[in-house]
Amino acid sequence: MTDPAPLIGRTHTRAVHTLSLDATGTRNALSAALVTELADALTDCGKDPDVRAVVLTHTGTTFCAGADLRDPPQPDALVALLRQIVELPRPVLARVTGHVRAGGLGLLAACDIAAASTDATFAFTEVRIGVAPAVISLPVIPRADPRALARYYLTGERFGPAEAVTLGLLTTAADDVDTALAPVLDGLRRSAPQALAETKRLLTARVLETFDRDAAELTALSARLFASPQAREGMTAFLERRDAAWVV
């Protein structure tokens, strides 16, 4: 029996290690397997002295569609992955040229710098399947403007990169993401590794306080909501491509 194809692509160029979500058949949804493989890749990056920065990107037209409803990760595994990105002693940059939904926005918020193309779209779709953006709130809420965030958390509406910048979920949006990221990566290559690690620690301290304070409560909330009758109806409706029973 052959080993399954890797879900995370890896390339390395001039001290920058690129990790690419590569499960296009599920629109790079956060399955248990993908979460485990991404966590292992990040661990390797954190231990490698030749890695100055990590770029998290994707293949296909979707950066991440959120949780894989057929093989979802355990809430505590997703918490651990998001915290790992925040705590990694290397800057992590998100490079997005497609769509980002639900849990994918948690990945985006956990990164230190995030850039997207001007045709990217975003949505917190959890409310439409009967759950809440519980676990991903750990990095999202400390990063985002609360008044602007309320609309998209509560409605599940799609929004564009300009709104994502205003919210605080994106650093920049550009027609050419690689051109926009080029001076950022050049700056990181010119920065001392120790200085980068300690400066990142300063910047992420408040985000980690949220993890310390709220992770257990939000993990329990996520598990409870996913086990609820409304979530079962919402997820079934999503998979069957129909409106949920509560839509009026």
mmCIF file of all heavy atoms in Angstrom, residues 188-231:
data_model
loop_
_atom_site.group_PDB
_atom_site.id
_atom_site.type_symbol
_atom_site.label_atom_id
_atom_site.label_comp_id
_atom_site.label_asym_id
_atom_site.label_seq_id
_atom_site.Cartn_x
_atom_site.Cartn_y
_atom_site.Cartn_z
ATOM 1 N N LEU A 188 12.725 40.676 6.805
ATOM 2 C CA LEU A 188 12.911 39.572 7.744
ATOM 3 C C LEU A 188 14.262 38.899 7.551
ATOM 4 O O LEU A 188 14.910 38.490 8.525
ATOM 5 C CB LEU A 188 11.785 38.551 7.580
ATOM 6 C CG LEU A 188 10.382 39.065 7.932
ATOM 7 C CD1 LEU A 188 9.336 38.002 7.627
ATOM 8 C CD2 LEU A 188 10.296 39.495 9.392
ATOM 9 N N ARG A 189 14.704 38.787 6.318
ATOM 10 C CA ARG A 189 16.019 38.188 6.062
ATOM 11 C C ARG A 189 17.150 39.053 6.618
ATOM 12 O O ARG A 189 18.237 38.553 6.933
ATOM 13 C CB ARG A 189 16.217 37.984 4.554
ATOM 14 C CG ARG A 189 15.351 36.886 3.949
ATOM 15 C CD ARG A 189 15.682 36.683 2.477
ATOM 16 N NE ARG A 189 14.966 35.562 1.891
ATOM 17 C CZ ARG A 189 13.939 35.679 1.038
ATOM 18 N NH1 ARG A 189 13.533 36.897 0.661
ATOM 19 N NH2 ARG A 189 13.334 34.616 0.557
ATOM 20 N N ARG A 190 16.919 40.354 6.737
ATOM 21 C CA ARG A 190 17.929 41.268 7.260
ATOM 22 C C ARG A 190 17.895 41.376 8.783
ATOM 23 O O ARG A 190 18.746 42.035 9.381
ATOM 24 C CB ARG A 190 17.739 42.661 6.645
ATOM 25 C CG ARG A 190 17.986 42.726 5.151
ATOM 26 C CD ARG A 190 17.615 44.078 4.565
ATOM 27 N NE ARG A 190 17.817 44.110 3.116
ATOM 28 C CZ ARG A 190 18.958 44.412 2.522
ATOM 29 N NH1 ARG A 190 20.016 44.718 3.270
ATOM 30 N NH2 ARG A 190 19.058 44.415 1.212
ATOM 31 N N SER A 191 16.913 40.739 9.406
ATOM 32 C CA SER A 191 16.729 40.864 10.860
ATOM 33 C C SER A 191 17.376 39.692 11.590
ATOM 34 O O SER A 191 17.371 38.552 11.101
ATOM 35 C CB SER A 191 15.236 40.906 11.190
ATOM 36 O OG SER A 191 14.618 41.989 10.516
ATOM 37 N N ALA A 192 17.929 39.965 12.757
ATOM 38 C CA ALA A 192 18.590 38.927 13.544
ATOM 39 C C ALA A 192 17.566 37.941 14.085
ATOM 40 O O ALA A 192 16.500 38.345 14.567
ATOM 41 C CB ALA A 192 19.359 39.554 14.701
ATOM 42 N N PRO A 193 17.852 36.641 14.034
ATOM 43 C CA PRO A 193 16.895 35.640 14.507
ATOM 44 C C PRO A 193 16.450 35.862 15.946
ATOM 45 O O PRO A 193 15.254 35.756 16.263
ATOM 46 C CB PRO A 193 17.659 34.323 14.351
ATOM 47 C CG PRO A 193 18.637 34.581 13.247
ATOM 48 C CD PRO A 193 19.045 36.011 13.420
ATOM 49 N N GLN A 194 17.376 36.155 16.841
ATOM 50 C CA GLN A 194 17.017 36.385 18.244
ATOM 51 C C GLN A 194 16.089 37.590 18.376
ATOM 52 O O GLN A 194 15.093 37.559 19.111
ATOM 53 C CB GLN A 194 18.277 36.621 19.068
ATOM 54 C CG GLN A 194 18.022 37.027 20.513
ATOM 55 C CD GLN A 194 19.310 37.272 21.267
ATOM 56 O OE1 GLN A 194 19.898 36.353 21.819
ATOM 57 N NE2 GLN A 194 19.769 38.519 21.253
ATOM 58 N N ALA A 195 16.406 38.649 17.637
ATOM 59 C CA ALA A 195 15.583 39.855 17.694
ATOM 60 C C ALA A 195 14.182 39.590 17.155
ATOM 61 O O ALA A 195 13.188 40.088 17.701
ATOM 62 C CB ALA A 195 16.253 40.979 16.906
ATOM 63 N N LEU A 196 14.078 38.805 16.083
ATOM 64 C CA LEU A 196 12.766 38.473 15.541
ATOM 65 C C LEU A 196 11.927 37.702 16.560
ATOM 66 O O LEU A 196 10.741 37.983 16.751
ATOM 67 C CB LEU A 196 12.917 37.644 14.260
ATOM 68 C CG LEU A 196 13.332 38.380 12.995
ATOM 69 C CD1 LEU A 196 13.516 37.394 11.848
ATOM 70 C CD2 LEU A 196 12.304 39.438 12.611
ATOM 71 N N ALA A 197 12.548 36.711 17.202
ATOM 72 C CA ALA A 197 11.817 35.883 18.162
ATOM 73 C C ALA A 197 11.313 36.716 19.329
ATOM 74 O O ALA A 197 10.153 36.581 19.756
ATOM 75 C CB ALA A 197 12.708 34.745 18.654
ATOM 76 N N GLU A 198 12.161 37.589 19.866
ATOM 77 C CA GLU A 198 11.757 38.376 21.029
ATOM 78 C C GLU A 198 10.756 39.476 20.651
ATOM 79 O O GLU A 198 9.853 39.786 21.437
ATOM 80 C CB GLU A 198 12.995 38.984 21.701
ATOM 81 C CG GLU A 198 13.903 37.952 22.348
ATOM 82 C CD GLU A 198 13.172 37.076 23.360
ATOM 83 O OE1 GLU A 198 12.308 37.594 24.102
ATOM 84 O OE2 GLU A 198 13.453 35.861 23.411
ATOM 85 N N THR A 199 10.916 40.043 19.461
ATOM 86 C CA THR A 199 9.948 41.048 19.027
ATOM 87 C C THR A 199 8.592 40.409 18.793
ATOM 88 O O THR A 199 7.544 40.972 19.156
ATOM 89 C CB THR A 199 10.442 41.735 17.745
ATOM 90 O OG1 THR A 199 11.714 42.343 18.011
ATOM 91 C CG2 THR A 199 9.466 42.806 17.295
ATOM 92 N N LYS A 200 8.576 39.219 18.204
ATOM 93 C CA LYS A 200 7.312 38.502 18.035
ATOM 94 C C LYS A 200 6.675 38.211 19.393
ATOM 95 O O LYS A 200 5.457 38.323 19.546
ATOM 96 C CB LYS A 200 7.518 37.210 17.252
ATOM 97 C CG LYS A 200 6.245 36.376 17.181
ATOM 98 C CD LYS A 200 6.307 35.236 16.190
ATOM 99 C CE LYS A 200 5.008 34.443 16.252
ATOM 100 N NZ LYS A 200 4.895 33.424 15.192
ATOM 101 N N ARG A 201 7.488 37.856 20.372
ATOM 102 C CA ARG A 201 6.950 37.578 21.709
ATOM 103 C C ARG A 201 6.241 38.814 22.280
ATOM 104 O O ARG A 201 5.188 38.724 22.909
ATOM 105 C CB ARG A 201 8.082 37.141 22.641
ATOM 106 C CG ARG A 201 7.599 36.517 23.961
ATOM 107 C CD ARG A 201 8.769 36.340 24.920
ATOM 108 N NE ARG A 201 9.842 35.590 24.315
ATOM 109 C CZ ARG A 201 9.910 34.260 24.336
ATOM 110 N NH1 ARG A 201 8.938 33.554 24.900
ATOM 111 N NH2 ARG A 201 10.938 33.642 23.794
ATOM 112 N N LEU A 202 6.815 39.998 22.059
ATOM 113 C CA LEU A 202 6.172 41.234 22.513
ATOM 114 C C LEU A 202 4.824 41.442 21.828
ATOM 115 O O LEU A 202 3.835 41.830 22.449
ATOM 116 C CB LEU A 202 7.081 42.427 22.214
ATOM 117 C CG LEU A 202 8.392 42.541 22.994
ATOM 118 C CD1 LEU A 202 9.225 43.687 22.416
ATOM 119 C CD2 LEU A 202 8.118 42.778 24.468
ATOM 120 N N LEU A 203 4.791 41.179 20.537
ATOM 121 C CA LEU A 203 3.594 41.453 19.745
ATOM 122 C C LEU A 203 2.458 40.477 20.026
ATOM 123 O O LEU A 203 1.284 40.828 19.862
ATOM 124 C CB LEU A 203 3.939 41.408 18.254
ATOM 125 C CG LEU A 203 4.832 42.542 17.738
ATOM 126 C CD1 LEU A 203 5.363 42.205 16.349
ATOM 127 C CD2 LEU A 203 4.062 43.854 17.705
ATOM 128 N N THR A 204 2.793 39.266 20.428
ATOM 129 C CA THR A 204 1.763 38.238 20.605
ATOM 130 C C THR A 204 1.359 38.025 22.060
ATOM 131 O O THR A 204 0.512 37.173 22.340
ATOM 132 C CB THR A 204 2.242 36.896 20.024
ATOM 133 O OG1 THR A 204 3.472 36.509 20.671
ATOM 134 C CG2 THR A 204 2.470 36.992 18.526
ATOM 135 N N ALA A 205 1.926 38.787 22.967
ATOM 136 C CA ALA A 205 1.662 38.555 24.392
ATOM 137 C C ALA A 205 0.170 38.616 24.719
ATOM 138 O O ALA A 205 -0.372 37.762 25.445
ATOM 139 C CB ALA A 205 2.435 39.564 25.244
ATOM 140 N N ARG A 206 -0.538 39.601 24.180
ATOM 141 C CA ARG A 206 -1.959 39.742 24.506
ATOM 142 C C ARG A 206 -2.796 38.645 23.859
ATOM 143 O O ARG A 206 -3.805 38.212 24.431
ATOM 144 C CB ARG A 206 -2.462 41.124 24.073
ATOM 145 C CG ARG A 206 -1.893 42.247 24.925
ATOM 146 C CD ARG A 206 -2.524 43.587 24.595
ATOM 147 N NE ARG A 206 -2.005 44.647 25.445
ATOM 148 C CZ ARG A 206 -2.359 45.919 25.350
ATOM 149 N NH1 ARG A 206 -3.256 46.290 24.445
ATOM 150 N NH2 ARG A 206 -1.830 46.824 26.156
ATOM 151 N N VAL A 207 -2.390 38.190 22.677
ATOM 152 C CA VAL A 207 -3.106 37.082 22.049
ATOM 153 C C VAL A 207 -2.961 35.826 22.913
ATOM 154 O O VAL A 207 -3.936 35.098 23.148
ATOM 155 C CB VAL A 207 -2.574 36.825 20.632
ATOM 156 C CG1 VAL A 207 -3.332 35.667 19.971
ATOM 157 C CG2 VAL A 207 -2.688 38.081 19.777
ATOM 158 N N LEU A 208 -1.763 35.588 23.419
ATOM 159 C CA LEU A 208 -1.538 34.403 24.244
ATOM 160 C C LEU A 208 -2.262 34.503 25.581
ATOM 161 O O LEU A 208 -2.682 33.487 26.141
ATOM 162 C CB LEU A 208 -0.038 34.184 24.454
ATOM 163 C CG LEU A 208 0.704 33.745 23.186
ATOM 164 C CD1 LEU A 208 2.207 33.716 23.430
ATOM 165 C CD2 LEU A 208 0.214 32.373 22.723
ATOM 166 N N GLU A 209 -2.443 35.710 26.086
ATOM 167 C CA GLU A 209 -3.250 35.873 27.293
ATOM 168 C C GLU A 209 -4.680 35.384 27.062
ATOM 169 O O GLU A 209 -5.297 34.776 27.943
ATOM 170 C CB GLU A 209 -3.268 37.343 27.724
ATOM 171 C CG GLU A 209 -1.971 37.839 28.341
ATOM 172 C CD GLU A 209 -2.012 39.333 28.621
ATOM 173 O OE1 GLU A 209 -3.073 39.953 28.405
ATOM 174 O OE2 GLU A 209 -0.978 39.880 29.050
ATOM 175 N N THR A 210 -5.199 35.654 25.872
ATOM 176 C CA THR A 210 -6.541 35.184 25.530
ATOM 177 C C THR A 210 -6.581 33.661 25.488
ATOM 178 O O THR A 210 -7.537 33.036 25.976
ATOM 179 C CB THR A 210 -6.977 35.765 24.169
ATOM 180 O OG1 THR A 210 -6.914 37.187 24.241
ATOM 181 C CG2 THR A 210 -8.387 35.326 23.822
ATOM 182 N N PHE A 211 -5.576 33.028 24.908
ATOM 183 C CA PHE A 211 -5.505 31.566 24.919
ATOM 184 C C PHE A 211 -5.498 31.042 26.350
ATOM 185 O O PHE A 211 -6.242 30.108 26.676
ATOM 186 C CB PHE A 211 -4.250 31.096 24.185
ATOM 187 C CG PHE A 211 -4.396 30.980 22.694
ATOM 188 C CD1 PHE A 211 -4.273 32.094 21.880
ATOM 189 C CD2 PHE A 211 -4.643 29.758 22.096
ATOM 190 C CE1 PHE A 211 -4.403 31.998 20.496
ATOM 191 C CE2 PHE A 211 -4.774 29.647 20.711
ATOM 192 C CZ PHE A 211 -4.650 30.769 19.913
ATOM 193 N N ASP A 212 -4.657 31.622 27.202
ATOM 194 C CA ASP A 212 -4.550 31.151 28.579
ATOM 195 C C ASP A 212 -5.870 31.285 29.321
ATOM 196 O O ASP A 212 -6.258 30.403 30.097
ATOM 197 C CB ASP A 212 -3.464 31.940 29.323
ATOM 198 C CG ASP A 212 -2.063 31.657 28.813
ATOM 199 O OD1 ASP A 212 -1.861 30.589 28.194
ATOM 200 O OD2 ASP A 212 -1.176 32.507 29.017
ATOM 201 N N ARG A 213 -6.575 32.375 29.069
ATOM 202 C CA ARG A 213 -7.803 32.662 29.811
ATOM 203 C C ARG A 213 -9.019 31.909 29.268
ATOM 204 O O ARG A 213 -9.857 31.428 30.036
ATOM 205 C CB ARG A 213 -8.074 34.172 29.757
ATOM 206 C CG ARG A 213 -9.274 34.616 30.583
ATOM 207 C CD ARG A 213 -9.574 36.092 30.388
ATOM 208 N NE ARG A 213 -10.009 36.392 29.034
ATOM 209 C CZ ARG A 213 -9.383 37.228 28.209
ATOM 210 N NH1 ARG A 213 -8.282 37.863 28.588
ATOM 211 N NH2 ARG A 213 -9.857 37.437 26.983
ATOM 212 N N ASP A 214 -9.127 31.800 27.928
ATOM 213 C CA ASP A 214 -10.398 31.397 27.334
ATOM 214 C C ASP A 214 -10.387 30.064 26.591
ATOM 215 O O ASP A 214 -11.446 29.606 26.160
ATOM 216 C CB ASP A 214 -10.871 32.478 26.350
ATOM 217 C CG ASP A 214 -11.120 33.811 27.020
ATOM 218 O OD1 ASP A 214 -11.408 33.825 28.235
ATOM 219 O OD2 ASP A 214 -11.004 34.854 26.340
ATOM 220 N N ALA A 215 -9.227 29.440 26.410
ATOM 221 C CA ALA A 215 -9.165 28.252 25.547
ATOM 222 C C ALA A 215 -10.066 27.127 26.040
ATOM 223 O O ALA A 215 -10.797 26.511 25.252
ATOM 224 C CB ALA A 215 -7.727 27.766 25.419
ATOM 225 N N ALA A 216 -10.037 26.840 27.323
ATOM 226 C CA ALA A 216 -10.843 25.726 27.830
ATOM 227 C C ALA A 216 -12.333 25.989 27.626
ATOM 228 O O ALA A 216 -13.086 25.096 27.190
ATOM 229 C CB ALA A 216 -10.533 25.498 29.307
ATOM 230 N N GLU A 217 -12.774 27.200 27.931
ATOM 231 C CA GLU A 217 -14.193 27.535 27.778
ATOM 232 C C GLU A 217 -14.637 27.466 26.320
ATOM 233 O O GLU A 217 -15.713 26.925 26.010
ATOM 234 C CB GLU A 217 -14.451 28.936 28.328
ATOM 235 C CG GLU A 217 -15.887 29.401 28.199
ATOM 236 C CD GLU A 217 -16.099 30.818 28.699
ATOM 237 O OE1 GLU A 217 -15.168 31.379 29.321
ATOM 238 O OE2 GLU A 217 -17.195 31.357 28.476
ATOM 239 N N LEU A 218 -13.833 27.989 25.401
ATOM 240 C CA LEU A 218 -14.225 28.011 23.996
ATOM 241 C C LEU A 218 -14.132 26.630 23.358
ATOM 242 O O LEU A 218 -14.922 26.302 22.463
ATOM 243 C CB LEU A 218 -13.379 29.024 23.234
ATOM 244 C CG LEU A 218 -13.621 30.477 23.631
ATOM 245 C CD1 LEU A 218 -12.722 31.418 22.849
ATOM 246 C CD2 LEU A 218 -15.082 30.869 23.435
ATOM 247 N N THR A 219 -13.200 25.816 23.821
ATOM 248 C CA THR A 219 -13.130 24.428 23.348
ATOM 249 C C THR A 219 -14.393 23.669 23.743
ATOM 250 O O THR A 219 -14.980 22.939 22.937
ATOM 251 C CB THR A 219 -11.889 23.735 23.912
ATOM 252 O OG1 THR A 219 -10.715 24.419 23.461
ATOM 253 C CG2 THR A 219 -11.808 22.283 23.465
ATOM 254 N N ALA A 220 -14.829 23.850 24.994
ATOM 255 C CA ALA A 220 -16.052 23.190 25.457
ATOM 256 C C ALA A 220 -17.269 23.695 24.690
ATOM 257 O O ALA A 220 -18.164 22.917 24.330
ATOM 258 C CB ALA A 220 -16.229 23.418 26.957
ATOM 259 N N LEU A 221 -17.323 24.996 24.433
ATOM 260 C CA LEU A 221 -18.434 25.561 23.669
ATOM 261 C C LEU A 221 -18.475 24.975 22.271
ATOM 262 O O LEU A 221 -19.550 24.595 21.769
ATOM 263 C CB LEU A 221 -18.295 27.085 23.592
ATOM 264 C CG LEU A 221 -19.301 27.811 22.696
ATOM 265 C CD1 LEU A 221 -20.721 27.607 23.193
ATOM 266 C CD2 LEU A 221 -18.965 29.297 22.620
ATOM 267 N N SER A 222 -17.331 24.878 21.607
ATOM 268 C CA SER A 222 -17.276 24.321 20.260
ATOM 269 C C SER A 222 -17.784 22.886 20.247
ATOM 270 O O SER A 222 -18.607 22.509 19.402
ATOM 271 C CB SER A 222 -15.847 24.377 19.725
ATOM 272 O OG SER A 222 -15.770 23.822 18.431
ATOM 273 N N ALA A 223 -17.318 22.079 21.181
ATOM 274 C CA ALA A 223 -17.743 20.679 21.236
ATOM 275 C C ALA A 223 -19.241 20.569 21.474
ATOM 276 O O ALA A 223 -19.933 19.750 20.848
ATOM 277 C CB ALA A 223 -16.969 19.947 22.318
ATOM 278 N N ARG A 224 -19.778 21.399 22.363
ATOM 279 C CA ARG A 224 -21.212 21.353 22.667
ATOM 280 C C ARG A 224 -22.048 21.753 21.461
ATOM 281 O O ARG A 224 -23.043 21.103 21.132
ATOM 282 C CB ARG A 224 -21.512 22.274 23.856
ATOM 283 C CG ARG A 224 -22.998 22.368 24.205
ATOM 284 C CD ARG A 224 -23.223 23.068 25.522
ATOM 285 N NE ARG A 224 -22.761 24.442 25.549
ATOM 286 C CZ ARG A 224 -23.450 25.472 25.048
ATOM 287 N NH1 ARG A 224 -24.624 25.278 24.467
ATOM 288 N NH2 ARG A 224 -22.966 26.707 25.126
ATOM 289 N N LEU A 225 -21.640 22.806 20.766
ATOM 290 C CA LEU A 225 -22.417 23.266 19.621
ATOM 291 C C LEU A 225 -22.371 22.273 18.463
ATOM 292 O O LEU A 225 -23.392 22.021 17.803
ATOM 293 C CB LEU A 225 -21.911 24.634 19.163
ATOM 294 C CG LEU A 225 -22.206 25.803 20.111
ATOM 295 C CD1 LEU A 225 -21.556 27.069 19.583
ATOM 296 C CD2 LEU A 225 -23.705 26.008 20.288
ATOM 297 N N PHE A 226 -21.205 21.685 18.200
ATOM 298 C CA PHE A 226 -21.100 20.735 17.101
ATOM 299 C C PHE A 226 -21.931 19.477 17.351
ATOM 300 O O PHE A 226 -22.331 18.793 16.402
ATOM 301 C CB PHE A 226 -19.638 20.377 16.834
ATOM 302 C CG PHE A 226 -18.983 21.248 15.801
ATOM 303 C CD1 PHE A 226 -18.278 22.386 16.187
ATOM 304 C CD2 PHE A 226 -19.075 20.960 14.460
ATOM 305 C CE1 PHE A 226 -17.689 23.204 15.234
ATOM 306 C CE2 PHE A 226 -18.478 21.770 13.499
ATOM 307 C CZ PHE A 226 -17.783 22.897 13.885
ATOM 308 N N ALA A 227 -22.205 19.173 18.623
ATOM 309 C CA ALA A 227 -23.014 18.003 18.959
ATOM 310 C C ALA A 227 -24.506 18.308 19.028
ATOM 311 O O ALA A 227 -25.311 17.410 19.288
ATOM 312 C CB ALA A 227 -22.554 17.420 20.297
ATOM 313 N N SER A 228 -24.903 19.538 18.773
ATOM 314 C CA SER A 228 -26.295 19.953 18.945
ATOM 315 C C SER A 228 -27.153 19.579 17.742
ATOM 316 O O SER A 228 -26.655 19.418 16.625
ATOM 317 C CB SER A 228 -26.362 21.474 19.148
ATOM 318 O OG SER A 228 -26.016 22.142 17.947
ATOM 319 N N PRO A 229 -28.472 19.466 17.942
ATOM 320 C CA PRO A 229 -29.374 19.179 16.813
ATOM 321 C C PRO A 229 -29.313 20.246 15.724
ATOM 322 O O PRO A 229 -29.380 19.915 14.536
ATOM 323 C CB PRO A 229 -30.756 19.131 17.486
ATOM 324 C CG PRO A 229 -30.480 18.757 18.903
ATOM 325 C CD PRO A 229 -29.180 19.426 19.241
ATOM 326 N N GLN A 230 -29.207 21.520 16.096
ATOM 327 C CA GLN A 230 -29.143 22.562 15.068
ATOM 328 C C GLN A 230 -27.887 22.423 14.216
ATOM 329 O O GLN A 230 -27.926 22.649 13.000
ATOM 330 C CB GLN A 230 -29.219 23.946 15.708
ATOM 331 C CG GLN A 230 -30.619 24.311 16.172
ATOM 332 C CD GLN A 230 -30.754 25.783 16.527
ATOM 333 O OE1 GLN A 230 -29.901 26.612 16.208
ATOM 334 N NE2 GLN A 230 -31.845 26.108 17.192
ATOM 335 N N ALA A 231 -26.769 22.063 14.840
ATOM 336 C CA ALA A 231 -25.547 21.874 14.059
ATOM 337 C C ALA A 231 -25.679 20.676 13.124
ATOM 338 O O ALA A 231 -25.223 20.726 11.972
ATOM 339 C CB ALA A 231 -24.350 21.698 14.980
#
